[in-house]
Amino acid sequence: MKVLVPVKRVIDYNVKVRVKADQSGVDLANVKMSMNPFDEIAVEQAIRLKEAGQVTEIVVVSIGVEKSQETLRNALAMGADRAILVKAVDNVEDDVEPLTVAKILKGIVDEEQPGLVIMGKQAIDNDMNATGQMLSALMGWSQGTFASGLELTDGSATVTREVDGGLQVIKIPTPCVLTVDLRLNEPRYASLPNIMKAKKKPLEVKEPGDYGASVEKRLTIVKVEEPPARKAGVMVGSVEELVEKLKTEAGVL
Amino acid sequence: MAVLLLAEHDNATLNDATAKTVTAAAQMGGDIHVLCAGSDCGAVAAEAAKLSGVTKVLCAKDPAYGHDLAEPLADLIVSLAGDYDHIVASATTSGKNVMPRVAALLDCMVISDISGVHSADTFERPIYAGNAMATVQSTDAKKIITVRGASFDVAAMDGSAAVEEIGAVANPGLSEWVEDKVVESNRPELTSAKIVISGGRGMGSAENFELVDKVADKLGAAVGASRAAVDSGYAPNDYQVGQTGKVVAPELYIAVGISGAIQHLAGMKDSKVIVAINKDEEAPIFQVADYGLVADLFDALPKLESAL
């Protein structure tokens, strides 16, 4: 079975986010970019399925700027077999909306016919948590979102989902879309020899039009601001003083 | 035109998140119709009918809707969508699961996790784990929205809307519920608790979390944890507060042995009063705390328990 893993190039999760003075967005110039952490977990899961003999080929795809190639090479170095870059925008600050991404991915799924699509539950930049569900809807497939456990048997996937209050286990037929949560696995680091080998793995460059899709925006960004800052608090010297202040000053006890 | 609002419930009681979502929906304009879909949700529909501002409750009873499975629920919502220009749900795991599916089926973008309503088509939402706030305007004919509960107050229960039974739509048969593994607890639910006390990596072990539990029981508080504590196996994942866990905004949030990584702050910085107890006076958590105490938590927690 072939697995498709979409990956997104986003601001590195360790980088402090700075809002631009003109309120047009977040400053992404000369900022370290990395693979979205949830997508790393998706790549890792695909590799583990391949190592277990349940998957034969892993195709990774990224939709964004030309530089997303770096993210794809990283996935190839981890163990994916080949990559597709869909060059959808020129400016890194032009985020491609999940609906557009899902439409492009549908075109790729129609062409590649994977048995499974595994992706991160959410990108840590726009925090939409939407693309997997949207792709599943456009394909008319089942969706197994926020997965922290996965068992593949012939023609179906048993998915343990992280839900409010605990876990939910569902069984869905394949092909399907899975979106992964943090606890599913711990992604590996690419070794240096594998990074070298990844440079020779195939990487195709495509355009949205190749899949009959166009990049359109349904949401206009009016402005992006800093979140309201909390005013500085006070330090207390003892537990007794703390309890006293919570009772009398803050009135929350 | 009106707002269709998906009720969040467990077939027995209505989740608080729905009452908060009603408050957000009221700011979008138009009548509010609540959709209760479940296996046996008559009591929930009756409760939803009392929510202030709700003008009608649609009640769809069918086993297919018993476990919040996205595929049948999305088809039901889409079948009703024609009459509405806003379709909203709480930004719970259930709402986040189904609403993007609804949006794609209607060829609309979803507007996830809104924290403010500026007008019928313009909304505020946190991005980059709450490190930036974006104001976005939708050009879609229908606005498909999930609402961050922590940003809105609960609506009053002084209404008396009519409840209308509606039929189920054909089950696409794409998914099958196997089981729920819900942690039984006598404590309040994390996202709706008035007081939350969370432990971090500083707790050192799962056994030590009992110190937090004891204070929580004294306060009638919910117990949370940082991602570091969850990753270290000190606390279960559904305790997790933060960007990758739950977003809470209680009256009082007590962070114990939590350094204050951005990812954690994203989940609790809207709390009314924040208390931080940490032995490292340089810990970033103190920058957002209203009251900070530099102390060893193994000394401070038992003292706190007895002082309460």
Side-chain angles (χ1 to χ4, degrees):
Chain A
M1 180 172 68
K2 187 196 284 186
V3 171
L4 188 78
V5 185
V7 295
K8 186 175 187 182
R9 179 178 183 263
V10 298
I11 192 166
D12 186 89
Y13 74 101
N14 283 313
V15 171
K16 181 157 172 51
V17 170
R18 283 196 319 269
V19 172
K20 291 203 288 188
D22 66 2
Q23 297 195 329
S24 65
V26 159
D27 195 355
L28 295 177
N30 305 314
V31 165
K32 186 183 176 200
M33 304 291 278
S34 300
M35 191 190 301
N36 179 41
F38 290 103
D39 302 350
E40 279 186 329
I41 296 168
V43 173
E44 174 67 33
Q45 194 61 29
I47 296 167
R48 289 186 188 189
L49 290 171
K50 193 178 172 196
E51 286 168 348
Q54 293 185 294
V55 158
T56 49
E57 189 188 24
I58 302 167
V59 182
V60 286
V61 53
S62 194
I63 296 162
V65 294
E66 180 122 38
K67 274 201 169 165
S68 300
Q69 282 200 30
E70 294 167 5
T71 308
L72 289 169
R73 289 287 174 207
N74 184 9
L76 293 170
M78 284 174 75
D81 296 299
R82 63 186 170 90
I84 302 169
L85 168 70
V86 181
K87 221 175 133 295
V89 285
D90 292 321
N91 183 349
V92 66
E93 282 166 13
D94 245 343
D95 193 34
V96 187
E97 287 179 2
L99 182 62
T100 295
V101 174
K103 286 178 179 178
I104 296 170
L105 287 175
K106 180 181 187 300
I108 297 173
V109 169
D110 285 342
E111 207 171 282
E112 295 281 345
Q113 299 284 316
L116 199 58
V117 178
I118 310 181
M119 52 207 293
K121 74 163 181 179
Q122 158 172 8
I124 61 163
D125 49 6
N126 66 33
D127 283 337
M128 278 288 186
N129 190 334
T131 308
Q133 296 91 313
M134 290 185 142
L135 173 62
S136 173
L138 297 179
M139 294 306 302
W141 286 0
S142 317
Q143 62 187 52
T145 55
F146 325 144
S148 64
L150 169 66
E151 220 175 291
L152 282 182
T153 44
D154 215 16
S156 72
T158 302
V159 185
T160 303
R161 307 179 54 236
E162 302 262 356
V163 296
D164 295 334
L167 301 169
Q168 182 191 49
V169 184
I170 60 168
K171 192 174 174 189
I172 52 179
T174 54
C176 60
V177 177
L178 300 177
T179 79
V180 303
D181 218 318
L182 283 169
R183 289 202 307 171
L184 184 62
N185 62 49
E186 206 160 301
R188 70 194 66 193
Y189 291 102
S191 67
L192 189 59
N194 285 342
I195 292 171
M196 302 310 288
K197 268 189 244 165
K199 292 182 179 168
K200 297 204 180 78
K201 287 183 177 175
L203 189 154
E204 270 179 285
V205 181
K206 299 279 199 172
E207 308 260 331
D210 294 336
Y211 301 103
S214 61
V215 177
E216 50 170 346
K217 279 213 187 297
R218 305 294 182 83
L219 301 181
T220 315
I221 296 193
V222 179
K223 63 180 172 183
V224 175
E225 299 165 287
E226 297 270 359
R230 288 188 76 93
K231 62 172 173 45
V234 295
M235 298 305 283
V236 293
S238 68
V239 169
E240 292 72 30
E241 191 189 342
L242 174 65
V243 172
E244 178 62 25
K245 280 202 188 303
L246 289 177
K247 278 182 178 157
T248 55
E249 203 174 276
V252 288
L253 285 185
Chain B
M1 295 296 269
V3 180
L4 180 67
L5 190 154
L6 178 67
E8 171 104 13
H9 63 87
D10 59 1
N11 287 298
T13 49
L14 193 64
N15 190 308
D16 249 10
T18 299
K20 293 173 177 176
T21 303
V22 166
T23 301
Q27 296 169 24
M28 294 169 197
D31 286 353
I32 301 171
H33 297 177
V34 172
L35 171 63
C36 285
S39 52
D40 184 16
C41 53
V44 177
E47 210 182 330
K50 293 184 197 147
L51 283 165
S52 180
V54 172
T55 51
K56 187 157 71 169
V57 176
L58 303 172
C59 181
K61 289 184 201 162
D62 193 280
Y65 307 131
H67 299 284
D68 286 341
L69 293 172
E71 299 86 357
L73 195 51
D75 284 1
L76 175 69
I77 295 169
V78 168
S79 77
L80 300 168
D83 298 333
Y84 301 96
D85 44 13
H86 292 84
I87 303 176
V88 302
S90 311
T92 53
T93 46
S94 173
K96 288 174 182 173
N97 188 30
V98 71
M99 294 305 267
R101 189 173 182 98
V102 169
L105 292 172
L106 295 169
D107 193 32
C108 294
M109 244 312 276
V110 67
I111 311 163
S112 306
D113 211 17
I114 64 162
S115 53
V117 179
H118 289 298
S119 69
D121 67 358
T122 306
F123 310 94
E124 181 189 76
R125 58 183 298 273
I127 54 175
Y128 292 90
N131 288 298
M133 303 300 295
T135 303
V136 295
Q137 185 171 25
S138 167
T139 56
D140 276 322
K142 291 186 193 299
K143 319 313 183 212
I144 318 298
I145 293 165
T146 59
V147 174
R148 169 172 286 212
S151 303
F152 296 91
D153 294 327
V154 294
M157 296 293 279
D158 57 3
S160 57
V163 177
E164 185 184 312
E165 299 257 347
I166 59 168
V169 296
N171 185 348
L174 285 168
S175 46
E176 187 188 317
W177 171 81
V178 179
E179 63 172 324
D180 289 329
K181 296 179 184 168
V182 177
V183 184
E184 293 295 336
S185 169
N186 296 323
R187 299 200 184 95
E189 212 253 318
L190 198 49
T191 50
S192 57
K194 297 237 176 337
I195 303 178
V196 174
I197 175 164
S198 294
R201 204 201 307 266
M203 296 307 301
S205 75
E207 292 71 41
N208 292 341
F209 243 82
E210 262 187 38
L211 295 170
V212 171
D213 292 345
K214 284 180 183 164
V215 176
D217 290 339
K218 269 273 175 86
L219 289 168
V223 177
S226 69
R227 184 176 160 193
V230 171
D231 283 350
S232 306
Y234 303 165
N237 192 58
D238 51 308
Y239 276 29
Q240 194 188 136
V241 172
Q243 181 197 12
T244 52
K246 294 191 175 98
V247 177
V248 301
E251 298 280 305
L252 173 61
Y253 187 88
I254 306 175
V256 185
I258 292 177
S259 64
I262 290 170
Q263 111 88 24
H264 184 74
L265 301 185
M268 46 65 81
K269 67 184 168 55
D270 293 329
S271 306
K272 195 168 151 236
V273 175
I274 297 174
V275 170
I277 302 175
N278 201 301
K279 66 178 175 193
D280 174 13
E281 60 184 285
E282 302 289 319
I285 190 78
F286 288 122
Q287 289 164 22
V288 299
D290 298 284
Y291 299 102
L293 174 63
V294 178
D296 185 343
L297 64 93
F298 297 106
D299 178 49
L301 281 176
K303 275 190 186 161
L304 183 57
E305 190 202 338
S306 55
L308 292 167

